[in-house]
PDB file of all heavy atoms in Angstrom:
ATOM      1  N   GLY F 123       4.332  18.478  -4.569  1.00 98.00           N
ATOM      2  CA  GLY F 123       5.172  19.387  -3.786  1.00 98.00           C
ATOM      3  C   GLY F 123       5.726  18.745  -2.518  1.00 98.00           C
ATOM      4  O   GLY F 123       6.125  19.446  -1.586  1.00 98.00           O
ATOM      5  N   LEU F 124       5.747  17.408  -2.465  1.00 98.00           N
ATOM      6  CA  LEU F 124       6.241  16.729  -1.257  1.00 98.00           C
ATOM      7  C   LEU F 124       7.772  16.655  -1.287  1.00 98.00           C
ATOM      8  O   LEU F 124       8.382  16.737  -2.358  1.00 98.00           O
ATOM      9  CB  LEU F 124       5.630  15.326  -1.169  1.00 98.00           C
ATOM     10  CG  LEU F 124       4.095  15.327  -1.106  1.00 98.00           C
ATOM     11  CD1 LEU F 124       3.528  13.922  -1.229  1.00 98.00           C
ATOM     12  CD2 LEU F 124       3.619  15.958   0.204  1.00 98.00           C
ATOM     13  N   THR F 125       8.372  16.502  -0.127  1.00 98.00           N
ATOM     14  CA  THR F 125       9.829  16.389  -0.054  1.00 98.00           C
ATOM     15  C   THR F 125      10.221  14.931  -0.265  1.00 98.00           C
ATOM     16  O   THR F 125       9.723  14.046   0.435  1.00 98.00           O
ATOM     17  CB  THR F 125      10.324  16.849   1.339  1.00 98.00           C
ATOM     18  OG1 THR F 125       9.776  18.144   1.584  1.00 98.00           O
ATOM     19  CG2 THR F 125      11.839  16.911   1.394  1.00 98.00           C
ATOM     20  N   LEU F 126      11.097  14.685  -1.244  1.00 98.00           N
ATOM     21  CA  LEU F 126      11.467  13.310  -1.590  1.00 98.00           C
ATOM     22  C   LEU F 126      12.953  13.099  -1.356  1.00 98.00           C
ATOM     23  O   LEU F 126      13.744  14.032  -1.506  1.00 98.00           O
ATOM     24  CB  LEU F 126      11.187  13.039  -3.076  1.00 98.00           C
ATOM     25  CG  LEU F 126       9.844  13.485  -3.635  1.00 98.00           C
ATOM     26  CD1 LEU F 126       9.715  13.069  -5.095  1.00 98.00           C
ATOM     27  CD2 LEU F 126       8.718  12.860  -2.842  1.00 98.00           C
ATOM     28  N   PRO F 127      13.371  11.861  -1.053  1.00 97.00           N
ATOM     29  CA  PRO F 127      14.811  11.585  -1.009  1.00 97.00           C
ATOM     30  C   PRO F 127      15.392  11.762  -2.413  1.00 97.00           C
ATOM     31  O   PRO F 127      14.699  11.506  -3.401  1.00 97.00           O
ATOM     32  CB  PRO F 127      14.893  10.112  -0.596  1.00 97.00           C
ATOM     33  CG  PRO F 127      13.525   9.689  -0.234  1.00 97.00           C
ATOM     34  CD  PRO F 127      12.555  10.662  -0.810  1.00 97.00           C
ATOM     35  N   MET F 128      16.630  12.213  -2.475  1.00 96.00           N
ATOM     36  CA  MET F 128      17.264  12.424  -3.777  1.00 96.00           C
ATOM     37  C   MET F 128      17.499  11.083  -4.483  1.00 96.00           C
ATOM     38  O   MET F 128      17.699  10.065  -3.830  1.00 96.00           O
ATOM     39  CB  MET F 128      18.617  13.058  -3.479  1.00 96.00           C
ATOM     40  CG  MET F 128      19.190  13.901  -4.545  1.00 96.00           C
ATOM     41  SD  MET F 128      20.548  14.815  -3.794  1.00 96.00           S
ATOM     42  CE  MET F 128      21.729  13.540  -3.525  1.00 96.00           C
ATOM     43  N   ILE F 129      17.478  11.123  -5.815  1.00 95.00           N
ATOM     44  CA  ILE F 129      17.812   9.915  -6.600  1.00 95.00           C
ATOM     45  C   ILE F 129      19.157  10.157  -7.277  1.00 95.00           C
ATOM     46  O   ILE F 129      19.392  11.239  -7.834  1.00 95.00           O
ATOM     47  CB  ILE F 129      16.741   9.669  -7.689  1.00 95.00           C
ATOM     48  CG1 ILE F 129      15.406   9.288  -7.069  1.00 95.00           C
ATOM     49  CG2 ILE F 129      17.194   8.599  -8.687  1.00 95.00           C
ATOM     50  CD1 ILE F 129      15.321   7.885  -6.556  1.00 95.00           C
ATOM     51  N   TYR F 130      20.056   9.196  -7.201  1.00 96.00           N
ATOM     52  CA  TYR F 130      21.346   9.281  -7.879  1.00 96.00           C
ATOM     53  C   TYR F 130      21.232   8.599  -9.238  1.00 96.00           C
ATOM     54  O   TYR F 130      20.774   7.462  -9.318  1.00 96.00           O
ATOM     55  CB  TYR F 130      22.429   8.592  -7.050  1.00 96.00           C
ATOM     56  CG  TYR F 130      22.761   9.317  -5.766  1.00 96.00           C
ATOM     57  CD1 TYR F 130      21.985   9.128  -4.624  1.00 96.00           C
ATOM     58  CD2 TYR F 130      23.849  10.174  -5.694  1.00 96.00           C
ATOM     59  CE1 TYR F 130      22.276   9.791  -3.443  1.00 96.00           C
ATOM     60  CE2 TYR F 130      24.164  10.833  -4.514  1.00 96.00           C
ATOM     61  CZ  TYR F 130      23.374  10.637  -3.390  1.00 96.00           C
ATOM     62  OH  TYR F 130      23.671  11.294  -2.222  1.00 96.00           O
ATOM     63  N   ASN F 131      21.631   9.319 -10.301  1.00 94.00           N
ATOM     64  CA  ASN F 131      21.512   8.736 -11.642  1.00 94.00           C
ATOM     65  C   ASN F 131      22.575   7.676 -11.907  1.00 94.00           C
ATOM     66  O   ASN F 131      22.344   6.718 -12.626  1.00 94.00           O
ATOM     67  CB  ASN F 131      21.595   9.826 -12.709  1.00 94.00           C
ATOM     68  CG  ASN F 131      20.394  10.747 -12.610  1.00 94.00           C
ATOM     69  OD1 ASN F 131      19.272  10.279 -12.398  1.00 94.00           O
ATOM     70  ND2 ASN F 131      20.629  12.053 -12.706  1.00 94.00           N
ATOM     71  N   LYS F 132      23.769   7.893 -11.325  1.00 95.00           N
ATOM     72  CA  LYS F 132      24.867   6.939 -11.562  1.00 95.00           C
ATOM     73  C   LYS F 132      25.521   6.575 -10.231  1.00 95.00           C
ATOM     74  O   LYS F 132      25.643   7.435  -9.345  1.00 95.00           O
ATOM     75  CB  LYS F 132      25.951   7.613 -12.424  1.00 95.00           C
ATOM     76  CG  LYS F 132      25.499   7.855 -13.864  1.00 95.00           C
ATOM     77  CD  LYS F 132      26.675   8.146 -14.759  1.00 95.00           C
ATOM     78  CE  LYS F 132      27.096   9.519 -14.794  1.00 95.00           C
ATOM     79  NZ  LYS F 132      27.015  10.643 -15.280  1.00 95.00           N
ATOM     80  N   PRO F 133      26.007   5.338 -10.108  1.00 96.00           N
ATOM     81  CA  PRO F 133      26.677   4.940  -8.863  1.00 96.00           C
ATOM     82  C   PRO F 133      27.858   5.859  -8.538  1.00 96.00           C
ATOM     83  O   PRO F 133      28.127   6.114  -7.363  1.00 96.00           O
ATOM     84  CB  PRO F 133      27.173   3.523  -9.158  1.00 96.00           C
ATOM     85  CG  PRO F 133      26.378   3.040 -10.312  1.00 96.00           C
ATOM     86  CD  PRO F 133      25.909   4.225 -11.076  1.00 96.00           C
ATOM     87  N   GLU F 134      28.512   6.373  -9.567  1.00 96.00           N
ATOM     88  CA  GLU F 134      29.691   7.226  -9.347  1.00 96.00           C
ATOM     89  C   GLU F 134      29.338   8.503  -8.584  1.00 96.00           C
ATOM     90  O   GLU F 134      30.198   9.163  -8.009  1.00 96.00           O
ATOM     91  CB  GLU F 134      30.362   7.597 -10.685  1.00 96.00           C
ATOM     92  CG  GLU F 134      31.186   6.465 -11.302  1.00 96.00           C
ATOM     93  CD  GLU F 134      30.356   5.232 -11.627  1.00 96.00           C
ATOM     94  OE1 GLU F 134      29.216   5.404 -12.118  1.00 96.00           O
ATOM     95  OE2 GLU F 134      30.832   4.109 -11.350  1.00 96.00           O
ATOM     96  N   GLU F 135      28.047   8.874  -8.606  1.00 96.00           N
ATOM     97  CA  GLU F 135      27.640  10.121  -7.932  1.00 96.00           C
ATOM     98  C   GLU F 135      27.450   9.940  -6.425  1.00 96.00           C
ATOM     99  O   GLU F 135      27.274  10.915  -5.696  1.00 96.00           O
ATOM    100  CB  GLU F 135      26.315  10.619  -8.523  1.00 96.00           C
ATOM    101  CG  GLU F 135      26.434  11.105  -9.951  1.00 96.00           C
ATOM    102  CD  GLU F 135      25.064  11.401 -10.559  1.00 96.00           C
ATOM    103  OE1 GLU F 135      24.043  11.263  -9.868  1.00 96.00           O
ATOM    104  OE2 GLU F 135      25.045  11.753 -11.747  1.00 96.00           O
ATOM    105  N   ILE F 136      27.462   8.693  -5.952  1.00 97.00           N
ATOM    106  CA  ILE F 136      27.158   8.442  -4.528  1.00 97.00           C
ATOM    107  C   ILE F 136      28.163   9.176  -3.632  1.00 97.00           C
ATOM    108  O   ILE F 136      29.369   8.985  -3.754  1.00 97.00           O
ATOM    109  CB  ILE F 136      27.181   6.921  -4.205  1.00 97.00           C
ATOM    110  CG1 ILE F 136      26.121   6.197  -5.025  1.00 97.00           C
ATOM    111  CG2 ILE F 136      26.980   6.670  -2.710  1.00 97.00           C
ATOM    112  CD1 ILE F 136      26.139   4.679  -4.897  1.00 97.00           C
ATOM    113  N   ASP F 137      27.630  10.065  -2.760  1.00 96.00           N
ATOM    114  CA  ASP F 137      28.520  10.843  -1.902  1.00 96.00           C
ATOM    115  C   ASP F 137      28.021  10.876  -0.459  1.00 96.00           C
ATOM    116  O   ASP F 137      28.359  11.755   0.314  1.00 96.00           O
ATOM    117  CB  ASP F 137      28.661  12.271  -2.458  1.00 96.00           C
ATOM    118  CG  ASP F 137      27.307  12.952  -2.570  1.00 96.00           C
ATOM    119  OD1 ASP F 137      26.278  12.282  -2.278  1.00 96.00           O
ATOM    120  OD2 ASP F 137      27.258  14.134  -2.935  1.00 96.00           O
ATOM    121  N   GLY F 138      27.161   9.913  -0.126  1.00 96.00           N
ATOM    122  CA  GLY F 138      26.615   9.842   1.236  1.00 96.00           C
ATOM    123  C   GLY F 138      25.840   8.541   1.337  1.00 96.00           C
ATOM    124  O   GLY F 138      25.860   7.729   0.396  1.00 96.00           O
TER     125      GLY F 138
END
Side-chain angles (χ1 to χ4, degrees):
L124 300 171
T125 308
L126 314 183
M128 206 167 70
I129 293 284
Y130 291 83
N131 294 319
K132 290 196 275 271
E134 284 61 41
E135 291 172 2
I136 299 174
D137 58 356

